[in-house]
Amino acid sequence: MYNEIKHKGAINVVGIKDIAKKAGVSISTVSYALNNSSKVTEKTRAKIMAIANDLNYIPNMAARTLKTRETKIIGVYLTSYGGVFYSELLDGLTNSLYKHGYELIACSGKKSHRFLPEKMIDGAIILDATFPTEEILNYADRGHKLVVLDREITHENIGQVLLDNRAGSTLAIDYLSTNFSGDFYIVTGPDDSYDAMIRLQTAKDELARFGDKEVHIIEGDFSEASGELAAKKIEKEWEKPVSVFALNDNMAIGMYRHFQQTNLKIGEDIRIVGFDNTPISEYLNPRLSTIEYSKYKWGALAAEQLVKLLEGKEATNEIIYTTLITSPSVSK
């Protein structure tokens, strides 16, 4: 194991041989000291560690991985890191993994997929619609341990922790339908989103049960901007009170932004339910009705599942349950 250091225009390779030479001990003694082995005394270890620090020695991760066959690092693959949505999820992941001696790195983009076959991480948690299912299955077939949060896959090396999107969408539609006979709008999510797909299909199935509902589908992409565009379309078509199910809170927030500049009143003329219960939703006026679930628990359970797989145990698939938060954004 070695470290390359730039010094006075040159690159000096600092390895355990250099430490051993300066300390006047064997290479094996240095290795024992650096790895906190009981085979060396505390006095010898302190001396070697002081020399290592003086030489700016840093253990080489690749060499250490070859020896131990593990990095104690887990990768979480996300489509993006933006917004408050991910913070609670990452807290759950990080805290749960830390208890088991693992650390977490956030990954995005195709090049980072190489971290698995190159063994730069011990396993992966995936919430990234752009990560192909075929590629995930290929890694699982080669023995890599993975947990998915955004698709259904059956494989002995893959665990899954999914949101109960069906229950959440059913709650939203039933709440919007109670004592209401007007038109419905559904603002969709990205085409490649598993969560958006399940929420949309469930909402359509639930509305079909009522038979007499006029349903309008507006394409969205989970962004506030797409919510604003949806609101403009609804305003243009509006004749009487309508109910709107936005498949996430971000789009609902975008709708609020537009409607607050119009004469249409949220809660009366426009009845809205979102999904995700993002922190800002409770500060909207009126407060947004939304579907709630624990993002922290989602991350924590995903971490626990992956640790089980890494320990050679069988992971049991989990469901994160959803509940409805009612508010004046839907008048009754």
Side-chain angles (χ1 to χ4, degrees):
M1 293 184 285
Y2 64 87
N3 180 39
E4 293 186 350
I5 303 174
K6 291 184 178 180
H7 179 65
K8 293 183 179 180
I11 298 179
N12 297 323
V13 179
V14 177
I16 59 175
K17 289 183 179 180
D18 302 293
I19 299 172
K21 182 178 180 180
K22 189 168 183 177
V25 297
S26 67
I27 293 174
S28 59
T29 298
V30 173
S31 180
Y32 291 143
L34 294 175
N35 288 285
N36 294 316
S37 171
S38 60
K39 294 182 179 181
V40 296
T41 65
E42 284 302 319
K43 182 178 179 180
T44 300
R45 178 182 291 107
K47 177 183 176 181
I48 290 171
M49 294 303 297
I51 293 172
N53 290 333
D54 184 57
L55 293 175
N56 292 316
Y57 169 79
I58 300 174
N60 180 274
M61 177 62 76
R64 183 178 294 275
T65 301
L66 286 173
K67 183 176 180 180
T68 64
R69 301 188 66 82
E70 62 178 10
T71 64
K72 304 301 287 185
I73 297 174
I74 299 301
V76 56
Y77 287 85
L78 306 172
T79 305
S80 71
Y81 311 139
V84 296
F85 174 87
Y86 290 108
S87 61
E88 293 179 52
L89 178 77
L90 290 172
D91 279 346
L93 282 169
T94 302
N95 292 340
S96 186
L97 287 172
Y98 183 77
K99 293 176 184 177
H100 295 281
Y102 290 91
E103 295 184 6
L104 183 74
I105 59 170
C107 310
S108 182
K110 189 172 183 179
K111 291 182 180 178
S112 64
H113 296 188
R114 297 182 305 193
F115 293 171
L116 277 165
E118 293 178 3
K119 300 188 181 300
M120 296 176 68
I121 55 178
D122 294 342
I125 295 165
I126 299 171
L127 180 57
D128 181 357
T130 68
F131 204 129
T133 296
E134 295 77 11
E135 188 176 351
I136 292 173
L137 285 168
N138 178 264
Y139 290 137
D141 286 340
R142 293 159 65 180
H144 296 288
K145 311 300 183 182
L146 310 129
V147 170
V148 294
L149 310 184
D150 59 356
R151 68 200 78 195
E152 297 178 65
I153 305 179
T154 301
H155 194 288
E156 63 181 357
N157 289 326
I158 300 176
Q160 59 186 37
V161 183
L162 305 178
L163 295 181
D164 195 351
N165 290 295
R166 292 181 177 85
S169 291
T170 299
L171 288 168
I173 294 301
D174 288 355
Y175 181 56
L176 285 166
S177 298
T178 302
N179 300 322
F180 182 76
S181 59
D183 287 3
F184 269 78
Y185 284 85
I186 302 174
V187 186
T188 71
D191 292 337
D192 60 359
S193 167
Y194 168 85
D195 292 326
M197 177 184 69
I198 299 299
R199 293 172 197 176
L200 174 60
Q201 188 57 55
T202 303
K204 290 166 66 176
D205 291 345
E206 191 68 10
L207 285 167
R209 291 196 308 107
F210 295 97
D212 59 345
K213 302 294 185 183
E214 185 72 27
V215 182
H216 308 270
I217 308 295
I218 302 178
E219 292 186 3
D221 61 10
F222 279 174
S223 70
E224 291 185 25
S226 68
E228 288 192 68
L229 290 174
K232 290 178 181 179
K233 179 176 175 60
I234 293 171
E235 180 194 13
K236 185 177 180 180
E237 298 175 353
W238 191 91
E239 294 180 354
K240 59 183 180 179
V242 298
S243 285
V244 182
F245 180 29
L247 298 192
N248 83 337
D249 282 0
N250 277 350
M251 295 189 297
I253 291 167
M255 297 178 71
Y256 264 70
R257 182 177 293 118
H258 177 76
F259 284 127
Q260 287 172 346
Q261 300 173 22
T262 72
N263 293 324
L264 297 175
K265 292 184 178 180
I266 293 175
E268 298 178 18
D269 302 316
I270 310 293
R271 307 161 79 249
I272 304 177
V273 173
F275 204 116
D276 288 336
N277 189 31
T278 54
I280 195 174
S281 63
E282 67 177 296
Y283 299 108
L284 297 174
N285 185 24
R287 193 214 192 280
L288 176 65
S289 299
T290 185
I291 301 301
E292 180 185 35
Y293 56 90
S294 174
K295 301 172 194 65
Y296 184 94
K297 183 178 181 180
W298 197 14
L301 283 179
E304 294 293 336
Q305 290 281 54
L306 186 56
V307 170
K308 284 183 180 179
L309 288 170
L310 290 170
E311 292 177 346
K313 302 174 184 177
E314 183 179 353
T316 304
N317 294 334
E318 299 278 1
I319 291 290
I320 302 298
Y321 295 106
T322 52
T323 57
L324 170 69
I325 294 179
T326 62
S327 81
S329 72
V330 178
S331 60
K332 292 294 182 183

